[in-house]
Amino acid sequence: QVQLVESGGGLVQAGGSLRLSCAASGSIVGLRDMGWYRQAPGKQRELVATITSGGSSNYADSMKGRFTISRDNAKNTVYLQMNSLKPEDTAVYRCTAVVRRTVVGRWYDLWGQGTQVTVSS
């Protein structure tokens, strides 16, 4: 079974930092773009950041300069370093990846279960 497992969420005070990790496990022969999205209560899901297999990254404007996405292709893992956290960053953060299970198989989107990040004021 192929899955994404997030870790690193928790409670932090405003101005603090957290580092999220998301590891892809199972039978995977390819990973393309990986990324993070978040959803706060009563709000729509929004993009946080994405990163290509070659390391090119893209951020939502509100995260630029505070969040850094990176990946370790050898470990099939994507990270999100979050600094200068604000109460409005409180949300469930979910990682996603475009994966392929066989060499001739199709690429498809895979989502993790999510990890809660709570920033207190």
Side-chain angles (χ1 to χ4, degrees), residues 38-46 87-93 115-119:
R38 71 184 187 184
Q39 187 166 18
K43 295 186 177 180
Q44 290 187 331
R45 184 177 65 196
E46 63 174 340
E88 51 263 43
D89 292 318
T90 295
V92 174
Y93 286 70
T115 185
Q116 176 70 45
V117 171
T118 302
V119 184

PDB file of all heavy atoms in Angstrom, residues 38-46 87-93 115-119:
ATOM      1  N   ARG A  38      -2.959  23.448   3.225  1.00  0.00           N
ATOM      2  CA  ARG A  38      -3.507  23.555   4.578  1.00  0.00           C
ATOM      3  C   ARG A  38      -4.969  23.965   4.513  1.00  0.00           C
ATOM      4  O   ARG A  38      -5.418  24.560   3.534  1.00  0.00           O
ATOM      5  CB  ARG A  38      -2.708  24.555   5.407  1.00  0.00           C
ATOM      6  CG  ARG A  38      -2.891  26.013   5.003  1.00  0.00           C
ATOM      7  CD  ARG A  38      -1.977  26.905   5.835  1.00  0.00           C
ATOM      8  NE  ARG A  38      -2.243  28.324   5.581  1.00  0.00           N
ATOM      9  CZ  ARG A  38      -1.531  29.317   6.122  1.00  0.00           C
ATOM     10  NH1 ARG A  38      -0.512  29.044   6.936  1.00  0.00           N
ATOM     11  NH2 ARG A  38      -1.846  30.569   5.858  1.00  0.00           N
ATOM     12  N   GLN A  39      -5.677  23.623   5.570  1.00  0.00           N
ATOM     13  CA  GLN A  39      -7.080  24.000   5.663  1.00  0.00           C
ATOM     14  C   GLN A  39      -7.402  24.349   7.106  1.00  0.00           C
ATOM     15  O   GLN A  39      -7.235  23.518   8.014  1.00  0.00           O
ATOM     16  CB  GLN A  39      -7.999  22.880   5.168  1.00  0.00           C
ATOM     17  CG  GLN A  39      -9.454  23.289   5.087  1.00  0.00           C
ATOM     18  CD  GLN A  39     -10.285  22.317   4.297  1.00  0.00           C
ATOM     19  OE1 GLN A  39      -9.892  21.170   4.064  1.00  0.00           O
ATOM     20  NE2 GLN A  39     -11.449  22.756   3.833  1.00  0.00           N
ATOM     21  N   ALA A  40      -7.843  25.574   7.297  1.00  0.00           N
ATOM     22  CA  ALA A  40      -8.255  26.040   8.611  1.00  0.00           C
ATOM     23  C   ALA A  40      -9.761  25.826   8.761  1.00  0.00           C
ATOM     24  O   ALA A  40     -10.481  25.758   7.756  1.00  0.00           O
ATOM     25  CB  ALA A  40      -7.911  27.514   8.772  1.00  0.00           C
ATOM     26  N   PRO A  41     -10.248  25.737   9.983  1.00  0.00           N
ATOM     27  CA  PRO A  41     -11.692  25.548  10.193  1.00  0.00           C
ATOM     28  C   PRO A  41     -12.511  26.630   9.502  1.00  0.00           C
ATOM     29  O   PRO A  41     -12.242  27.822   9.646  1.00  0.00           O
ATOM     30  CB  PRO A  41     -11.827  25.625  11.715  1.00  0.00           C
ATOM     31  CG  PRO A  41     -10.499  25.223  12.249  1.00  0.00           C
ATOM     32  CD  PRO A  41      -9.508  25.766  11.264  1.00  0.00           C
ATOM     33  N   GLY A  42     -13.504  26.197   8.739  1.00  0.00           N
ATOM     34  CA  GLY A  42     -14.381  27.138   8.076  1.00  0.00           C
ATOM     35  C   GLY A  42     -13.801  27.789   6.849  1.00  0.00           C
ATOM     36  O   GLY A  42     -14.437  28.668   6.248  1.00  0.00           O
ATOM     37  N   LYS A  43     -12.613  27.377   6.449  1.00  0.00           N
ATOM     38  CA  LYS A  43     -11.971  27.969   5.272  1.00  0.00           C
ATOM     39  C   LYS A  43     -11.679  26.909   4.226  1.00  0.00           C
ATOM     40  O   LYS A  43     -11.633  25.727   4.516  1.00  0.00           O
ATOM     41  CB  LYS A  43     -10.682  28.690   5.676  1.00  0.00           C
ATOM     42  CG  LYS A  43     -10.896  29.894   6.582  1.00  0.00           C
ATOM     43  CD  LYS A  43      -9.595  30.634   6.802  1.00  0.00           C
ATOM     44  CE  LYS A  43      -9.819  31.881   7.650  1.00  0.00           C
ATOM     45  NZ  LYS A  43      -8.552  32.634   7.873  1.00  0.00           N
ATOM     46  N   GLN A  44     -11.461  27.377   3.021  1.00  0.00           N
ATOM     47  CA  GLN A  44     -11.115  26.458   1.943  1.00  0.00           C
ATOM     48  C   GLN A  44      -9.659  26.034   2.055  1.00  0.00           C
ATOM     49  O   GLN A  44      -8.820  26.732   2.636  1.00  0.00           O
ATOM     50  CB  GLN A  44     -11.352  27.137   0.587  1.00  0.00           C
ATOM     51  CG  GLN A  44     -12.814  27.360   0.249  1.00  0.00           C
ATOM     52  CD  GLN A  44     -13.008  27.863  -1.167  1.00  0.00           C
ATOM     53  OE1 GLN A  44     -12.130  28.535  -1.723  1.00  0.00           O
ATOM     54  NE2 GLN A  44     -14.129  27.529  -1.777  1.00  0.00           N
ATOM     55  N   ARG A  45      -9.377  24.893   1.480  1.00  0.00           N
ATOM     56  CA  ARG A  45      -8.000  24.422   1.429  1.00  0.00           C
ATOM     57  C   ARG A  45      -7.174  25.383   0.572  1.00  0.00           C
ATOM     58  O   ARG A  45      -7.636  25.849  -0.470  1.00  0.00           O
ATOM     59  CB  ARG A  45      -7.949  23.019   0.830  1.00  0.00           C
ATOM     60  CG  ARG A  45      -6.560  22.395   0.814  1.00  0.00           C
ATOM     61  CD  ARG A  45      -6.631  20.975   0.280  1.00  0.00           C
ATOM     62  NE  ARG A  45      -7.046  20.942  -1.115  1.00  0.00           N
ATOM     63  CZ  ARG A  45      -7.472  19.859  -1.735  1.00  0.00           C
ATOM     64  NH1 ARG A  45      -7.556  18.719  -1.074  1.00  0.00           N
ATOM     65  NH2 ARG A  45      -7.810  19.901  -3.005  1.00  0.00           N
ATOM     66  N   GLU A  46      -5.957  25.657   1.013  1.00  0.00           N
ATOM     67  CA  GLU A  46      -5.105  26.559   0.248  1.00  0.00           C
ATOM     68  C   GLU A  46      -3.704  25.981   0.094  1.00  0.00           C
ATOM     69  O   GLU A  46      -3.217  25.226   0.949  1.00  0.00           O
ATOM     70  CB  GLU A  46      -5.010  27.941   0.921  1.00  0.00           C
ATOM     71  CG  GLU A  46      -4.377  27.950   2.281  1.00  0.00           C
ATOM     72  CD  GLU A  46      -4.187  29.354   2.841  1.00  0.00           C
ATOM     73  OE1 GLU A  46      -4.180  30.334   2.062  1.00  0.00           O
ATOM     74  OE2 GLU A  46      -4.019  29.469   4.068  1.00  0.00           O
ATOM     75  N   PRO A  87      -0.784  33.137  14.489  1.00  0.00           N
ATOM     76  CA  PRO A  87      -2.036  32.410  14.816  1.00  0.00           C
ATOM     77  C   PRO A  87      -2.843  32.052  13.568  1.00  0.00           C
ATOM     78  O   PRO A  87      -3.484  30.998  13.539  1.00  0.00           O
ATOM     79  CB  PRO A  87      -2.781  33.412  15.701  1.00  0.00           C
ATOM     80  CG  PRO A  87      -1.701  34.181  16.376  1.00  0.00           C
ATOM     81  CD  PRO A  87      -0.621  34.331  15.341  1.00  0.00           C
ATOM     82  N   GLU A  88      -2.774  32.870  12.549  1.00  0.00           N
ATOM     83  CA  GLU A  88      -3.519  32.569  11.322  1.00  0.00           C
ATOM     84  C   GLU A  88      -2.917  31.430  10.521  1.00  0.00           C
ATOM     85  O   GLU A  88      -3.499  31.001   9.520  1.00  0.00           O
ATOM     86  CB  GLU A  88      -3.649  33.828  10.440  1.00  0.00           C
ATOM     87  CG  GLU A  88      -2.344  34.543  10.163  1.00  0.00           C
ATOM     88  CD  GLU A  88      -2.117  35.705  11.117  1.00  0.00           C
ATOM     89  OE1 GLU A  88      -2.368  35.556  12.335  1.00  0.00           O
ATOM     90  OE2 GLU A  88      -1.654  36.765  10.636  1.00  0.00           O
ATOM     91  N   ASP A  89      -1.784  30.924  10.940  1.00  0.00           N
ATOM     92  CA  ASP A  89      -1.215  29.734  10.310  1.00  0.00           C
ATOM     93  C   ASP A  89      -1.822  28.457  10.883  1.00  0.00           C
ATOM     94  O   ASP A  89      -1.537  27.355  10.399  1.00  0.00           O
ATOM     95  CB  ASP A  89       0.306  29.687  10.511  1.00  0.00           C
ATOM     96  CG  ASP A  89       1.033  30.788   9.754  1.00  0.00           C
ATOM     97  OD1 ASP A  89       0.671  31.059   8.603  1.00  0.00           O
ATOM     98  OD2 ASP A  89       1.972  31.380  10.336  1.00  0.00           O
ATOM     99  N   THR A  90      -2.645  28.585  11.898  1.00  0.00           N
ATOM    100  CA  THR A  90      -3.297  27.423  12.496  1.00  0.00           C
ATOM    101  C   THR A  90      -4.176  26.725  11.469  1.00  0.00           C
ATOM    102  O   THR A  90      -5.042  27.349  10.848  1.00  0.00           O
ATOM    103  CB  THR A  90      -4.145  27.842  13.704  1.00  0.00           C
ATOM    104  OG1 THR A  90      -3.280  28.355  14.722  1.00  0.00           O
ATOM    105  CG2 THR A  90      -4.931  26.665  14.255  1.00  0.00           C
ATOM    106  N   ALA A  91      -3.933  25.426  11.272  1.00  0.00           N
ATOM    107  CA  ALA A  91      -4.651  24.666  10.258  1.00  0.00           C
ATOM    108  C   ALA A  91      -4.206  23.212  10.308  1.00  0.00           C
ATOM    109  O   ALA A  91      -3.229  22.871  10.998  1.00  0.00           O
ATOM    110  CB  ALA A  91      -4.384  25.228   8.861  1.00  0.00           C
ATOM    111  N   VAL A  92      -4.910  22.382   9.565  1.00  0.00           N
ATOM    112  CA  VAL A  92      -4.434  21.031   9.289  1.00  0.00           C
ATOM    113  C   VAL A  92      -3.602  21.096   8.012  1.00  0.00           C
ATOM    114  O   VAL A  92      -4.081  21.580   6.978  1.00  0.00           O
ATOM    115  CB  VAL A  92      -5.599  20.039   9.106  1.00  0.00           C
ATOM    116  CG1 VAL A  92      -5.060  18.671   8.679  1.00  0.00           C
ATOM    117  CG2 VAL A  92      -6.396  19.916  10.396  1.00  0.00           C
ATOM    118  N   TYR A  93      -2.389  20.638   8.106  1.00  0.00           N
ATOM    119  CA  TYR A  93      -1.467  20.654   6.975  1.00  0.00           C
ATOM    120  C   TYR A  93      -1.385  19.249   6.376  1.00  0.00           C
ATOM    121  O   TYR A  93      -1.127  18.273   7.087  1.00  0.00           O
ATOM    122  CB  TYR A  93      -0.081  21.106   7.423  1.00  0.00           C
ATOM    123  CG  TYR A  93      -0.006  22.588   7.702  1.00  0.00           C
ATOM    124  CD1 TYR A  93      -0.656  23.143   8.804  1.00  0.00           C
ATOM    125  CD2 TYR A  93       0.699  23.444   6.863  1.00  0.00           C
ATOM    126  CE1 TYR A  93      -0.602  24.503   9.061  1.00  0.00           C
ATOM    127  CE2 TYR A  93       0.762  24.807   7.113  1.00  0.00           C
ATOM    128  CZ  TYR A  93       0.108  25.328   8.211  1.00  0.00           C
ATOM    129  OH  TYR A  93       0.164  26.680   8.452  1.00  0.00           O
ATOM    130  N   THR A 115      -1.671  16.795   9.430  1.00  0.00           N
ATOM    131  CA  THR A 115      -1.148  16.998  10.771  1.00  0.00           C
ATOM    132  C   THR A 115      -1.560  18.389  11.250  1.00  0.00           C
ATOM    133  O   THR A 115      -1.519  19.355  10.484  1.00  0.00           O
ATOM    134  CB  THR A 115       0.391  16.838  10.795  1.00  0.00           C
ATOM    135  OG1 THR A 115       0.865  16.925  12.144  1.00  0.00           O
ATOM    136  CG2 THR A 115       1.104  17.872   9.941  1.00  0.00           C
ATOM    137  N   GLN A 116      -2.002  18.454  12.482  1.00  0.00           N
ATOM    138  CA  GLN A 116      -2.522  19.705  13.024  1.00  0.00           C
ATOM    139  C   GLN A 116      -1.381  20.611  13.471  1.00  0.00           C
ATOM    140  O   GLN A 116      -0.468  20.186  14.193  1.00  0.00           O
ATOM    141  CB  GLN A 116      -3.443  19.429  14.215  1.00  0.00           C
ATOM    142  CG  GLN A 116      -3.971  20.673  14.908  1.00  0.00           C
ATOM    143  CD  GLN A 116      -4.971  21.435  14.058  1.00  0.00           C
ATOM    144  OE1 GLN A 116      -5.864  20.838  13.461  1.00  0.00           O
ATOM    145  NE2 GLN A 116      -4.833  22.758  14.005  1.00  0.00           N
ATOM    146  N   VAL A 117      -1.456  21.856  13.049  1.00  0.00           N
ATOM    147  CA  VAL A 117      -0.546  22.894  13.524  1.00  0.00           C
ATOM    148  C   VAL A 117      -1.389  23.962  14.207  1.00  0.00           C
ATOM    149  O   VAL A 117      -2.330  24.501  13.606  1.00  0.00           O
ATOM    150  CB  VAL A 117       0.257  23.512  12.360  1.00  0.00           C
ATOM    151  CG1 VAL A 117       1.029  24.738  12.842  1.00  0.00           C
ATOM    152  CG2 VAL A 117       1.195  22.480  11.762  1.00  0.00           C
ATOM    153  N   THR A 118      -1.085  24.238  15.452  1.00  0.00           N
ATOM    154  CA  THR A 118      -1.812  25.248  16.209  1.00  0.00           C
ATOM    155  C   THR A 118      -0.829  26.284  16.731  1.00  0.00           C
ATOM    156  O   THR A 118       0.151  25.927  17.396  1.00  0.00           O
ATOM    157  CB  THR A 118      -2.569  24.623  17.389  1.00  0.00           C
ATOM    158  OG1 THR A 118      -3.468  23.621  16.901  1.00  0.00           O
ATOM    159  CG2 THR A 118      -3.368  25.684  18.135  1.00  0.00           C
ATOM    160  N   VAL A 119      -1.094  27.536  16.403  1.00  0.00           N
ATOM    161  CA  VAL A 119      -0.220  28.631  16.826  1.00  0.00           C
ATOM    162  C   VAL A 119      -0.992  29.513  17.802  1.00  0.00           C
ATOM    163  O   VAL A 119      -2.022  30.087  17.438  1.00  0.00           O
ATOM    164  CB  VAL A 119       0.264  29.461  15.623  1.00  0.00           C
ATOM    165  CG1 VAL A 119       1.258  30.523  16.090  1.00  0.00           C
ATOM    166  CG2 VAL A 119       0.891  28.564  14.569  1.00  0.00           C
TER     167      VAL A 119
END
